[in-house]
Amino acid sequence: MSDMKTAFVVATAALLFVGCSQEEPSRGTAITNVTVIDSVNGVRENQTVLFYGDQILAVTSTDSLFPPPEQTIDGSGKYLIPGLWDMHVHLTYDDAFTESMPALFLAYGITSVRDTGGLIEKLNPVIEKMRAPGATAPRVFYSGPLLDGNFVVYDGKSRPEIGTQNATVAMAEEKVAALKAAGVDFIKIYEMVSPEVFAALVSAAQSHGFPIAAHVPLSMLASQAGPSVDSMEHLRNVEMDCASNSAELYEERLSRLKNEGGISGYELRSGMHAAQRVPAILNYDEDRCNRTIASLKSTIQVPTLRLITYPLMSSYDHPDWSEALAQAPETVREDWAAATEEWSTSDDRGDTTFAEWGLSLVGRMHAQGVPIGAGTDTPIARALPGFSLHTELERLVAAGLTPLEALESATIRPAEFFSLQNEMGTIDVGMRADLVLLNANPLDNISNTREIAAVVTKGQLLRPEGMD
Ligand SMILES: [Zn+2]
């Protein structure tokens, strides 16, 4: 630093110092004597973390700040982690849930969400409300509709309308330009697109600077589509690229995709899953799968394990399920409680082949260095907003991640998807003020992320009693 600059800094500091006396506390809130845990810095004991507005101002081992902060929270015996993300949510999928979702996320320490599919006209008012100055809501990043192919799975007929048609390259280019104008944060490519439309969507997204989330299209292999996108969802259609009979399954797929019977996009897609998923898994070829996994080294996998492992490990079996369900909107509560009852009294848990394969594939991907992201698909398939993210973290640990790596998947990984890792995902000076204070150590047991003492969202402190 030059002498002139040094002199300037000293003079400024002196002015600031003159401005504050001991009776006049500085601005901000400090959490003192806390164990700070994040996936980049590891574990730091006996720290004081000071934040003001939407920024962390200090992370220090000194126990008394001068001037003293406006508010002090005793963090003794507690653990502070970065605010959590759910990388796969649908805010507008179920109208009964839309209104209550932001508060439910925050109550469970989820301070950022990535909405992976909804119509712009339905999303706009929801996003506007969540992003309004002073709003108590998670940060939200959204893609707009699923960019589907000639046939559309979520077409509003048999399924809710969250998809749009991209039958040609021209339609794809037009669609991405329109999404740019609409202000989306990324795009989501869906399963029925052709390889040509997929390539057009990727290049349009790149020219507009959008990150890309995708399902592997049914007309492509995971190793062809994966490297061009930033995240892949649900391990969808990866099994074929791990199968010794891949060529045969692919031929069958191309012929089904002609849709000569004229069935709906949903039936066409789901028919292929039903016919091919288990046969592909039963023909698992380790060498081939390792090559596929190697092609995905820079593509975040958002496996939504809580969705995939459903027949094997249900959220309904969790001791906190009933309590969590009680917070859901009334109409949802009745319907889901009936499903819980049905589940708990039935012996038939369905086929578990895909569930077991999903768990082991995530373990193998992780061991081979593929980045993993935490997402739930809430509220689809009875995923309670907020609660289900903690289930996902538990599933990721069951798949082979350490608790710290599971935290990484819900903090720094999603930040990296949006190139925000210099602003979010760790507890460092200058980072955004999104934090979760826990009563128990998440590294001892990942389920301890459920033991929430307080949540800080954009610098706003929320305590359990005030979180309803
Ligand atoms: Zn989804």
Side-chain angles (χ1 to χ4, degrees):
M1 193 184 283
S2 72
D3 284 352
M4 195 185 286
K5 268 191 187 151
T6 312
F8 177 75
V9 170
V10 170
T12 313
L15 278 173
L16 285 173
F17 188 77
V18 168
C20 324
S21 68
Q22 204 157 5
E23 294 77 50
E24 211 180 307
S26 74
R27 296 181 296 185
T29 300
I31 301 174
T32 59
N33 202 27
V34 71
T35 301
V36 173
I37 299 173
D38 72 48
S39 62
V40 171
N41 300 291
V43 179
R44 287 169 286 173
E45 288 175 346
N46 300 317
Q47 299 289 302
T48 292
V49 176
L50 175 72
F51 58 90
Y52 174 70
D54 190 10
Q55 207 178 23
I56 296 173
L57 299 181
V59 182
T60 167
S61 51
T62 47
D63 51 2
S64 56
L65 290 169
F66 184 83
E70 208 166 20
Q71 188 181 15
T72 299
I73 311 289
D74 182 10
S76 304
K78 294 188 166 58
Y79 302 83
L80 193 66
I81 61 171
L84 300 168
W85 286 69
D86 187 331
M87 280 191 87
H88 196 124
V89 313
H90 296 280
L91 292 162
T92 57
Y93 188 84
D94 182 346
D95 293 339
F97 252 126
T98 304
E99 185 75 22
S100 60
M101 277 173 102
L104 284 170
F105 284 128
L106 289 178
Y108 283 95
I110 287 93
T111 54
S112 299
V113 296
R114 194 180 67 144
D115 187 290
T116 45
L119 296 186
I120 291 291
E121 53 271 34
K122 278 191 83 175
L123 276 166
N124 269 344
V126 176
I127 304 291
E128 203 178 315
K129 205 170 158 191
M130 289 175 76
R131 288 183 176 172
T136 304
R139 296 177 208 277
V140 55
F141 302 81
Y142 67 108
S143 66
L146 311 176
L147 298 171
D148 219 340
N150 185 26
F151 303 106
V152 177
V153 175
Y154 286 94
D155 61 358
K157 291 176 192 126
S158 64
R159 311 299 292 169
E161 187 183 5
I162 59 172
T164 55
Q165 189 195 40
N166 294 276
T168 63
V169 164
M171 280 175 91
E173 287 166 349
E174 216 171 281
K175 206 63 65 65
V176 179
L179 289 174
K180 178 74 180 179
V184 304
D185 303 289
F186 65 108
I187 65 159
K188 165 103 175 264
I189 304 178
Y190 212 60
E191 280 173 65
M192 307 300 282
V193 296
S194 65
E196 296 72 30
V197 165
F198 177 85
L201 290 168
V202 167
S203 93
Q206 283 166 349
S207 69
H208 291 294
F210 287 136
I212 306 169
H215 286 208
V216 173
L218 286 156
S219 61
M220 296 177 79
L221 294 171
S223 55
Q224 295 169 331
S228 318
V229 303
D230 303 285
S231 81
M232 276 165 53
E233 311 303 305
H234 317 299
L235 308 176
R236 186 63 51 80
N237 302 327
V238 175
E239 62 278 0
M240 192 173 76
D241 212 358
C242 285
S244 57
N245 60 341
S246 169
E248 185 190 319
L249 294 171
Y250 186 63
E251 281 311 306
E252 186 193 329
R253 229 175 238 193
L254 292 184
S255 111
R256 279 173 176 260
L257 280 168
K258 289 182 193 146
N259 195 12
E260 276 156 1
I263 57 178
S264 73
Y266 177 73
E267 287 172 307
L268 188 60
R269 190 275 304 251
S270 300
M272 273 182 270
H273 291 173
Q276 296 198 322
R277 185 177 279 163
V278 172
I281 292 170
L282 295 178
N283 286 285
Y284 174 68
D285 175 337
E286 182 146 15
D287 288 341
R288 183 181 173 113
C289 203
N290 283 341
R291 285 196 297 277
T292 300
I293 291 171
S295 75
L296 303 174
K297 289 267 161 78
S298 50
T299 308
I300 300 173
Q301 298 298 312
V302 184
T304 59
L305 278 177
R306 69 106 229 140
L307 177 74
I308 288 177
T309 61
Y310 203 66
L312 207 57
M313 323 155 103
S314 167
S315 302
Y316 303 160
D317 298 330
H318 194 281
D320 293 347
W321 171 259
S322 301
E323 194 194 324
L325 185 58
Q327 298 168 15
E330 200 178 335
T331 46
V332 174
R333 231 182 297 154
E334 286 164 19
D335 177 27
W336 291 20
T340 311
E341 177 62 22
E342 199 180 311
W343 172 267
S344 61
T345 53
S346 161
D347 294 331
D348 181 17
R349 298 273 153 128
D351 190 282
T352 56
T353 310
F354 185 54
E356 283 155 16
W357 180 82
L359 269 180
S360 76
L361 184 69
V362 169
R364 285 198 294 274
M365 286 175 151
H366 172 63
Q368 293 179 48
V370 175
I372 307 290
T376 64
D377 218 6
T378 182
I380 296 176
R382 300 195 188 91
L384 284 169
F387 178 89
S388 52
L389 192 270
H390 298 273
T391 307
E392 183 66 15
L393 296 178
E394 290 160 355
R395 299 292 182 269
L396 290 172
V397 170
L401 277 70
T402 65
L404 190 62
E405 289 165 345
L407 290 178
E408 180 176 56
S409 75
T411 53
I412 197 81
R413 285 285 172 261
E416 284 168 351
F417 178 84
F418 292 108
S419 302
L420 289 171
Q421 65 273 21
N422 294 327
E423 292 176 47
M424 305 173 72
T426 68
I427 301 179
D428 281 309
V429 172
M431 303 295 269
R432 308 255 186 113
D434 288 344
L435 302 161
V436 186
L437 186 64
L438 301 172
N439 288 319
N441 188 347
L443 304 188
D444 288 346
N445 182 344
I446 193 62
S447 301
N448 288 339
T449 55
R450 298 178 187 268
E451 304 298 319
I452 295 174
V455 176
V456 178
T457 167
K458 301 170 200 159
Q460 190 185 347
L461 179 74
L462 307 174
R463 311 261 220 155
E465 62 271 21
M467 281 173 25
D468 305 337

